[in-house]
């Protein structure tokens, strides 16, 4: 079923914020990007939504493909829609989040060179607008550090 539209359409992505408590601090799961844009920069796990899947299923799929994590309960957080948030195209991202009791083993896969847990207060330079996304998450969701 193909459609042709007179007007341009934005692309739709999902991103996952996975937070874990461990060693008296909250950690966030990030992936190291394998390809441009932002090749070699850290980002939230995520990617483009397939035409036949829900946003939540797309987020679970991307999380599994890029980090190996499965069976994480996700909640929808916020939709980020700044027109210039992705240099490739007009891309709108719906962000989901989930909490784990402790950091689980992860391994980079698909278009992630590496997956790694970072202390929420010591994040590396981020790709796209992911630092803004994490900042909003820290501000709006009760993410407590113990130190």
């Amino acid at each position: 079923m193909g459609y042709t539209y007179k007007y341009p359409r934005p692309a739709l992505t999902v991103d996952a914020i996975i937070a874990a408590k461990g060693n008296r601090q909250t950690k966030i799961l990030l992936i190291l990007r394998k390809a441009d844009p932002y090749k070699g920069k850290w980002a939230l796990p995520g990617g483009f939504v397939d035409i036949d899947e829900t946003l939540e299923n797309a987020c679970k799929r991307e999380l599994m493909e890029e980090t190996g994590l499965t069976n994480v309960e996700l909640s929808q957080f916020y939709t980020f829609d700044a027109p210039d948030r992705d240099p490739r195209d007009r891309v709108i991202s719906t962000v989901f989040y989930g909490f784990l009791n402790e950091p689980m083993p992860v391994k980079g896969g698909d278009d992630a060179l590496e997956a790694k847990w970072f202390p929420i207060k010591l994040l590396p330079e981020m790709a796209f607008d992911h630092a803004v996304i994490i900042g909003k998450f820290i501000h709006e969701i009760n993410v407590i550090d113990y130190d």
Side-chain angles (χ1 to χ4, degrees), residues 22 30 54 104:
L30 300 177
T54 66
M104 303 297 292

Side-chain angles (χ1 to χ4, degrees), residues 42-87:
W42 293 94
L44 294 166
F48 290 93
V49 177
D50 290 339
I51 195 71
D52 62 345
E53 66 187 344
T54 66
L55 295 175
E56 184 175 352
N57 286 343
C59 195
K60 288 179 179 180
R61 175 184 53 77
E62 287 288 345
L63 185 61
M64 186 275 302
E65 288 175 358
E66 294 185 347
T67 71
L69 276 184
T70 59
N71 300 319
V72 178
E73 185 176 330
L74 296 176
S75 298
Q76 194 172 128
F77 172 54
Y78 194 81
T79 298
F80 292 82
D81 63 350
D84 61 349
R85 60 177 305 276
D86 189 318

Side-chain angles (χ1 to χ4, degrees), residues 72-147:
V72 178
E73 185 176 330
L74 296 176
S75 298
Q76 194 172 128
F77 172 54
Y78 194 81
T79 298
F80 292 82
D81 63 350
D84 61 349
R85 60 177 305 276
D86 189 318
R88 295 172 289 193
D89 207 347
R90 174 75 165 105
V91 178
I92 297 169
S93 186
T94 298
V95 178
F96 289 80
Y97 69 95
F99 290 101
L100 300 175
N101 291 329
E102 61 185 357
M104 303 297 292
V106 291
K107 182 179 181 188
D110 193 32
D111 52 354
L113 287 171
E114 184 180 350
K116 184 177 174 183
W117 295 96
F118 286 87
I120 200 164
K121 292 181 178 178
L122 296 171
L123 297 177
E125 186 177 342
M126 305 288 294
F128 303 102
D129 59 349
H130 291 188
V132 171
I133 292 171
I134 293 171
K136 185 173 181 67
F137 175 75
I138 291 168
H139 180 73
E140 294 191 12
I141 304 295
N142 189 16
V143 180
I144 301 169
D145 276 346
Y146 304 104
D147 48 58

